[in-house]
Amino acid sequence: YFQNCAMKKDKTLISVNGLSRFYGKKRAIENISFDVCQGEILGLLGPNGAGKSTTMQIICGVIAANNGSVNIAEYDIHDAPKQAKQNIGFLPEQLPLYHDLNIDEYLLYSAKLRGVKKANLGNALSSCKKRCGLKNMGSHLIQNLSKGFKQRVGIAQAIIHAPSIIILDEPTSGLDPKQILDIRTLMRELSKDHSIILSTHILSEVEAICDRVLIINKGNIVLDQYLNKLLTSNNSLESVFLDLTGGNSS
């Protein structure tokens, strides 16, 4: 572990320090620490059961850690949860969509839940739809959308309140190749204004769009490295992952 943002002299938007979480006597994660800088895309990898979901849930304030702290845009998730969560946009693996609403209705509902002021609702709606390729689709029922467009709506709800950080859990799962490329392009565009944590099982996705990779295995960080330093002609992300996780499939 090292202070990435201090090295790059960028603003730290996420600071995770010494997180541990136990379920009874079972350890989910122990002493997890890392930073994420403004404008950075961090790929979060690990075998099933490694602790990725627990880490993301603690960062988002869904569950509490037994030990450690999380600061989001300088707000402690435990001491100032409202302010911290206002700076978080989250897309879970199971999309939080209401299929009987159209896109505009759902996004306006999401914006109101996020505390967007009434006077700003129109601009927030227009901006997130434009960024997510939904500009002229506001009247479309969500239940009639393809999986790729449902993913876009899911990302739109995560950014409608202009958060500092976006956490995406398997954002391209189940998409066709064209849809995957579209969502990756969108993530790169979003990274200009947001910090992104991307949790995925797809190693090629991390290689394609992430600046940095963090691998968790058995509740501990076993790698935190920039991809341009990690990947060489003799060193692929797949080989590194398999070496560090004991050959577990990602």
Side-chain angles (χ1 to χ4, degrees):
Y1 164 67
F2 52 90
Q3 293 288 344
N4 295 289
C5 299
M7 292 173 63
K8 293 178 66 179
K9 298 182 180 179
D10 288 339
K11 183 178 181 181
T12 303
L13 292 181
I14 307 172
S15 183
V16 175
N17 297 292
L19 288 189
S20 296
R21 170 75 190 198
F22 292 82
Y23 296 98
K25 294 183 178 180
K26 182 180 179 182
R27 179 190 68 179
I29 58 172
E30 188 169 17
N31 199 29
I32 296 286
S33 297
F34 62 92
D35 291 344
V36 184
C37 309
Q38 185 173 16
E40 186 172 39
I41 304 179
L42 174 69
L44 183 61
L45 295 173
N48 289 331
K52 301 190 305 298
S53 294
T54 296
T55 301
M56 287 191 297
Q57 288 178 327
I58 293 173
I59 292 172
C60 291
V62 176
I63 62 175
N66 293 112
N67 298 295
S69 64
V70 175
N71 282 278
I72 305 295
E74 301 183 356
Y75 293 104
D76 186 281
I77 196 71
H78 181 266
D79 296 336
K82 185 175 181 180
Q83 294 91 333
K85 291 177 183 179
Q86 191 62 29
N87 284 282
I88 300 172
F90 182 43
L91 177 69
E93 184 175 4
Q94 299 298 320
L95 296 176
L97 304 180
Y98 292 96
H99 291 85
D100 56 340
L101 299 180
N102 66 35
I103 291 174
D104 279 356
E105 290 170 337
Y106 172 70
L107 292 178
L108 285 172
Y109 171 70
S110 299
K112 291 174 182 176
L113 285 179
R114 286 297 197 170
V116 177
K117 294 180 180 178
K118 188 174 182 180
N120 298 330
L121 285 174
N123 286 337
L125 177 64
S126 176
S127 176
C128 77
K129 284 199 300 179
K130 182 178 180 180
R131 298 186 78 179
C132 295
L134 301 167
K135 185 175 180 181
N136 299 312
M137 298 182 64
S139 63
H140 289 227
L141 276 178
I142 290 175
Q143 66 184 1
N144 295 332
L145 299 176
S146 69
K147 184 166 176 57
F149 275 102
K150 287 177 179 176
Q151 291 287 92
R152 289 171 182 266
V153 175
I155 295 173
Q157 65 79 30
I159 68 170
I160 196 166
H161 57 300
S164 299
I165 72 164
I166 303 170
I167 299 177
L168 306 173
D169 191 2
E170 303 287 352
T172 62
S173 176
L175 302 187
D176 66 38
K178 173 65 166 59
Q179 292 170 332
I180 289 173
L181 291 175
D182 288 344
I183 295 297
R184 288 179 181 176
T185 299
L186 174 58
M187 284 190 279
R188 289 192 198 98
E189 177 66 26
L190 291 172
S191 72
K192 296 175 183 178
D193 300 311
H194 310 268
S195 293
I196 297 176
I197 295 179
L198 168 65
S199 177
T200 180
H201 286 101
I202 305 171
L203 299 181
S204 60
E205 189 151 272
V206 173
E207 291 181 326
I209 66 169
C210 292
D211 303 298
R212 197 170 121 228
V213 61
L214 190 150
I215 299 177
I216 298 177
N217 189 43
K218 298 179 181 178
N220 297 113
I221 292 176
V222 293
L223 180 77
D224 183 355
Q225 182 62 273
Y226 290 102
L227 281 166
N228 60 5
K229 295 181 179 179
L230 178 67
L231 302 182
T232 66
S233 58
N234 299 316
N235 202 24
S236 69
L237 183 56
E238 180 179 5
S239 65
V240 171
F241 181 89
L242 293 174
D243 286 345
L244 290 173
T245 59
N248 288 302
S249 172
S250 65

